[in-house]
Amino acid sequence: QVQLVESGGGLVQAGGSLRLSCAPSGRTFNTYPMGWFRQAPGKEREFVAAISRSGRSTYYADSVKGRFTISRDNARDNARNTVYLQMNSLKPEDTAVYYCAADRTVLEISRDYSSRTRYNYWGQGTQVTVSS
């Protein structure tokens, strides 16, 4: 079982930036494709971004493309499965709880990377609030 812990959320004005981090709470021996999702009050949890096991491929929801960047640092053994979400030009509609997730697949990344049912491990979430 992999436990993920998100950090870096907070309150920011529209146009500002935040950097979210997600790390496993213990040592992990496999490298997983990872994703970020978000859930606003009264809405379904939605896909934000995903990154392949090697980090060579990244994918984004249209609503965040060009503003958000997902990344990982596989070069450091103790940072395996640590991922980041750099969020720039934030908008009030980006306000949500942000969750990271890991996919236990052996593939570089699953075809349905944007589906929340694809992921096996989830963090508890971190709140991002963007004021207008």
Side-chain angles (χ1 to χ4, degrees), residues 6-7 9 17 19 24 34 60 63-64 90 99 104 110 121 129:
E6 302 96 338
S7 61
S17 299
R19 189 190 194 215
M34 304 286 289
Y60 299 93
S63 59
V64 306
L90 282 161
Y99 299 89
R104 207 167 51 196
S110 299
Y121 308 116
T129 303

Side-chain angles (χ1 to χ4, degrees), residues 14-90:
S17 299
L18 282 175
R19 189 190 194 215
L20 305 184
S21 299
C22 168
S25 60
R27 185 184 177 97
T28 55
F29 297 94
N30 297 311
T31 303
Y32 303 108
M34 304 286 289
W36 284 97
F37 288 75
R38 67 186 182 186
Q39 188 166 17
K43 294 189 176 182
E44 296 281 319
R45 191 171 299 188
E46 65 175 5
F47 169 74
V48 175
I51 189 165
S52 63
R53 294 173 70 185
S54 66
R56 285 193 294 266
S57 299
T58 57
Y59 307 87
Y60 299 93
D62 288 343
S63 59
V64 306
K65 203 170 293 183
R67 300 187 298 122
F68 291 11
T69 303
I70 188 172
S71 62
R72 69 190 305 163
D73 182 5
N74 288 355
R76 295 186 294 142
D77 183 64
N78 62 353
R80 185 180 294 143
N81 296 314
T82 296
V83 292
Y84 308 95
L85 187 68
Q86 178 66 44
M87 306 186 296
N88 298 329
S89 301
L90 282 161

Side-chain angles (χ1 to χ4, degrees), residues 96-111:
V97 178
Y98 283 70
Y99 299 89
C100 70
D103 178 359
R104 207 167 51 196
T105 182
V106 297
L107 302 175
E108 174 69 2
I109 191 162
S110 299
R111 291 172 66 91

